[in-house]
Amino acid sequence: MTDPASGVFRDRPVSFVRRSGRMSEAQERAWSELGPHLMLPVPRDNAATSVAADAHIDVADVWGRQAPLIVEIGSGQGHAIVHAATTRPHTDFLAVEVFRAGLARTMLDADRAGVGNLRLVEANAPEVLEHLLPAGSVDEVWIFFPDPWHKKKHTKRRLVKPDVVPTLSRALRPGGMLRLATDWEDYALQMRAVLDEATTFDRAFEGDWAPRFEGRVVTAFERKGERVGRAIRDLAYRRSGG
């Protein structure tokens, strides 16, 4: 699988196609002025969004304290994670995204809100969880509205599939939470089937679907899905062993 940003071959499909969208002047300024403080530096492997296998961070050193850590995979424009970081100052947050315009917008909003407990990383999420973060260092992983790759020939690109379960399990502490939401029914069914079969996760809900996670702010993306008649489905799983 070729990384479109670098032309480098990867041995596994990634869950995104990285396009070089144009950034506004404000976003460019955020990247140059806020980036050095808010963006985590990442040693790379071959691809532009890769994380070197020997890369790692000291979580307490990065955030300057000992606190629960929540990681959002595919943070997009940052609406959910900036809101969460603003309302939960005693928790640390990491936004994982590959699109620079989204990361820049997140930095702008975080700066306006005076948020000090948020950091961002421009990288492929499974590699962040596998290499950059210490094992058992994450209290919650959020995967909200991942790309559904709804065409059958593209479903192999979906983020939540059996081979990513060990990576999620590694990053989460025992008892840590994995929270998911999607507006595509077949993807919701796939995620539920994958995680129900995982020996390292236990359901944290009863019935078919989890109640809507109160910590997930309603975004324009979610409203768009509802307008076209797609139901929003939440899932919640607890890392076993806690």
Side-chain angles (χ1 to χ4, degrees):
M1 181 66 60
T2 303
D3 182 333
S6 62
V8 172
F9 183 82
R10 302 178 99 132
D11 59 359
R12 288 187 294 178
V14 292
S15 61
F16 58 88
V17 173
R18 191 167 182 250
R19 300 179 179 89
S20 54
R22 183 178 178 181
M23 293 200 293
S24 67
E25 284 187 20
Q27 288 171 327
E28 292 282 5
R29 188 168 59 253
W31 195 264
S32 61
E33 295 178 3
L34 301 175
H37 172 62
L38 295 178
M39 295 288 298
L40 299 186
V42 181
R44 304 292 184 184
D45 196 354
N46 292 324
T49 57
S50 64
V51 178
D54 60 351
H56 65 278
I57 61 170
D58 183 309
V59 172
D61 184 60
V62 169
W63 276 269
R65 63 180 183 177
Q66 296 280 353
L69 175 62
I70 295 176
V71 176
E72 183 181 12
I73 293 175
S75 54
Q77 300 290 317
H79 301 304
I81 201 163
V82 171
H83 177 269
T86 303
T87 56
R88 299 172 66 174
H90 300 298
T91 299
D92 294 331
F93 291 86
L94 176 63
V96 183
E97 182 54 73
V98 296
F99 299 107
R100 288 198 168 192
L103 289 163
R105 170 63 184 272
T106 302
M107 288 190 281
L108 283 170
D109 288 350
D111 185 56
R112 292 190 190 103
V115 169
N117 54 337
L118 173 64
R119 298 293 182 270
L120 304 87
V121 62
E122 180 189 21
N124 180 32
E127 294 174 70
V128 172
L129 298 178
E130 184 176 359
H131 303 312
L132 195 65
L133 293 170
S137 62
V138 180
D139 288 78
E140 295 190 17
V141 172
W142 295 352
I143 305 175
F144 298 149
F145 304 98
D147 194 323
W149 293 103
H150 58 277
K151 293 183 179 179
K152 188 174 182 180
K153 65 180 180 179
H154 290 153
T155 54
K156 65 183 179 181
R157 283 184 173 270
R158 287 178 170 176
L159 175 64
V160 183
K161 52 187 185 294
D163 64 2
V164 82
V165 169
T167 303
L168 292 164
S169 303
R170 175 198 175 276
L172 281 164
R173 64 167 176 79
M177 293 296 298
L178 172 61
R179 303 187 186 278
L180 312 99
T182 182
D183 58 344
W184 285 85
E185 182 179 15
D186 70 314
Y187 197 4
L189 292 168
Q190 174 184 320
M191 293 193 294
R192 189 176 66 184
V194 167
L195 292 164
D196 279 352
E197 292 176 4
T199 59
T200 51
F201 284 99
D202 300 316
R203 274 197 187 195
F205 62 96
E206 297 179 359
D208 292 335
W209 308 105
R212 188 187 191 285
F213 173 46
E214 293 180 357
R216 177 167 60 79
V217 67
V218 178
T219 63
F221 187 89
E222 182 174 348
R223 292 190 187 97
K224 180 180 178 181
E226 290 178 326
R227 281 199 303 271
V228 298
R230 291 197 291 266
I232 311 302
R233 293 176 172 86
D234 281 69
L235 292 164
Y237 287 82
R238 182 171 288 105
R239 174 71 165 87
S240 59

